[in-house]
Amino acid sequence: MYLAAVLFFGIITQWVEARWALTIFQVALLALAATSVVKRLRSGLPIGHHPVGLLLAGAAAWGLIQVTVGQTVYPLRTLETTLDWTVNLVAFSLVLELGRRAKERERFLNSALVFASVLSLCAIFTLLTSPPGKVFWLFDSSAGLATLGPFAYKNQYAAFVEVVLPVAMFRAICNRRRWLPYSLIAAMLFGSVVASGSRGGVVLCFLEMLIVPVIAFAQNRFGGASLARVLMGNLILVGTLAAIVGWQPLWQRFEEPHPYALRRDLAESSLQMLHDRPWSGFGLGTWSSAYPGYARYDDGTFVNQAHNDWVQWAAEGGIPFLMIMLATAGWTIRPAVCAIWGIGILAVFLHAVVDYPFQQRPALGTFVFALLGILAAEQRSSIG
């Protein structure tokens, strides 16, 4: 639960631009990792490894290699991003170790679900009542946009919901006596994404609400009649919550002409960056520094991210780093489908094709990799 509390602290404070919040979050995780290593060494237990852990270690090592051989245009930024990937590795490994027992995995997932439920309520209220640019009604954010609880960017909030929503749906399917509370939580989470106006988030969350019951049916967790009732119930709850929070702003965003034209231009520039440095990249975390030399237009606006994590990873880390991330996402597919609730992790990787859930706010990416650690622990337990 200490680990969960640290992860939740990272989410709640991820809007803070000053370094202190992220430093506290990362130092706390590193301290937990050091404590865990010392305990294992004192007890004579070996320090194990996992394929995803090795991939994340490779991601962190690649940043150090770029700095060492001078293949980064901004060494300090690459070192900061390397630290972020090290913390992702630490979070994954801690959860993998602490999730050896089914009881601990359930406690972690339940706490994450409770946290997300409270946060979704807060997100709806702050969106509707907090002045633009204010986080929790009081604190200034870096942008003058409407906020969703601690999230200053709607698509990153949607990614947070995407990774948790299937947990609520899976609970509703497996716990027949408490299916209604879990279904209401799932509908509330979905409704908050509708209110946020995230197009990609709404599409992915809606697909999750359809796919999760279908996979459960394919795994013989319930019959055809139950599948029809769950799907119909999900549609009714989704429609009701969407009507309550208001779907008009979202619909207006879907009606925008050429909504992804900017993202296409950024992706083409990023691919040109990859073409020029296919094996070394420009350095992890340096996309915004290298991009101006490849910009296809200039309207005077600072562009902070590529709005596509996959092409940004390729531009920053070259083909080797891109292969690391593809291997990580590829490993996730089978255990995610088997566990059902892990579909949310795949949804975030998919959302990364049109936005940047793994960039800018390190605590959000660390939270996703922590849930990936639970998934890996569950998969290892089923094999063992």
Side-chain angles (χ1 to χ4, degrees):
M1 298 308 294
Y2 289 131
L3 175 59
V6 173
L7 292 170
F8 300 160
F9 170 83
I11 294 295
I12 292 174
T13 61
Q14 47 96 38
W15 59 272
V16 179
E17 292 296 328
R19 181 71 191 185
W20 65 265
L22 180 59
T23 298
I24 292 174
F25 167 70
Q26 292 181 330
V27 168
L29 281 178
L30 292 172
L32 286 174
T35 302
S36 177
V37 170
V38 170
K39 286 183 177 180
R40 291 190 69 83
L41 292 176
R42 285 181 175 177
S43 60
L45 296 174
I47 298 179
H49 61 274
H50 187 275
V52 174
L54 295 176
L55 289 169
L56 294 177
W62 188 243
L64 292 177
I65 293 173
Q66 288 179 313
V67 173
T68 302
V69 300
Q71 292 298 316
T72 172
V73 298
Y74 195 162
L76 179 58
R77 184 62 186 133
T78 298
L79 287 174
E80 291 176 347
T81 306
T82 298
L83 175 60
D84 295 340
W85 283 104
T86 302
V87 172
N88 291 340
L89 168 63
V90 165
F92 172 84
S93 301
L94 281 172
V95 175
L96 176 65
E97 173 65 21
L98 297 176
R100 288 178 298 172
R101 294 183 297 174
K103 181 179 179 181
E104 295 301 323
R105 295 196 297 271
E106 291 299 305
R107 288 180 63 192
F108 188 92
L109 289 176
N110 286 334
S111 64
L113 187 56
V114 171
F115 173 72
S117 302
V118 174
L119 201 59
S120 66
L121 276 176
C122 182
I124 293 173
F125 279 110
T126 53
L127 179 67
L128 298 177
T129 63
S130 184
K134 292 289 185 179
V135 177
F136 296 125
W137 300 276
L138 297 174
F139 308 104
D140 290 323
S141 66
S142 59
L145 303 175
T147 58
L148 296 119
F151 288 86
Y153 184 41
K154 58 182 177 294
N155 289 325
Q156 288 174 339
Y157 173 75
F160 170 78
V161 172
E162 288 160 15
V163 78
V164 180
L165 176 60
V167 179
M169 298 183 61
F170 185 65
R171 293 287 189 274
I173 292 172
C174 295
N175 195 327
R176 303 297 175 83
R177 293 194 302 176
R178 298 180 180 177
W179 69 270
L180 182 57
Y182 285 123
S183 297
L184 290 174
I185 290 173
M188 182 175 62
L189 290 169
F190 182 86
S192 67
V193 176
V194 172
S196 75
S198 172
R199 291 169 297 203
V202 167
V203 170
L204 288 170
C205 287
F206 183 73
L207 289 175
E208 286 178 340
M209 298 195 79
L210 296 180
I211 291 173
V212 167
V214 171
I215 296 177
F217 171 73
Q219 294 181 1
N220 296 319
R221 293 182 182 268
F222 53 29
S226 297
L227 173 63
R229 286 196 299 269
V230 170
L231 290 175
M232 184 60 65
N234 285 345
L235 292 175
I236 292 173
L237 287 173
V238 164
T240 302
L241 266 294
I244 292 174
V245 301
W247 51 266
Q248 292 85 355
L250 175 67
W251 186 256
Q252 291 174 359
R253 296 204 70 222
F254 274 113
E255 291 183 327
E256 292 177 1
H258 311 295
Y260 292 101
L262 172 61
R263 287 173 167 81
R264 183 179 64 249
D265 287 338
L266 297 177
E268 290 176 356
S269 297
S270 301
L271 291 175
Q272 184 60 48
M273 294 164 66
L274 173 65
H275 178 270
D276 289 354
R277 290 196 180 187
W279 299 109
S280 65
F282 284 81
L284 300 185
T286 66
W287 185 90
S288 61
S289 299
Y291 166 74
Y294 294 84
R296 303 171 66 85
Y297 67 95
D298 184 6
D299 60 359
T301 302
F302 173 71
V303 183
N304 61 342
Q305 308 291 340
H307 288 265
N308 181 326
D309 280 346
W310 291 100
V311 296
Q312 184 163 335
W313 284 331
E316 293 181 348
I319 293 175
F321 193 83
L322 178 62
M323 296 305 296
I324 289 174
M325 297 313 302
L326 285 171
T328 302
W331 180 91
T332 306
I333 295 174
R334 182 180 178 88
V337 172
C338 292
I340 301 180
W341 65 264
I343 291 296
I345 301 172
L346 293 177
V348 179
F349 278 120
L350 186 58
H351 198 166
V353 174
V354 293
D355 226 288
Y356 50 98
F358 293 98
Q359 309 285 351
Q360 189 182 33
R361 309 294 180 185
L364 177 58
T366 301
F367 182 77
V368 174
F369 284 112
L371 288 180
L372 182 55
I374 286 288
L375 184 64
E378 185 171 322
Q379 188 249 6
R380 175 179 286 180
S381 177
S382 64
I383 293 176

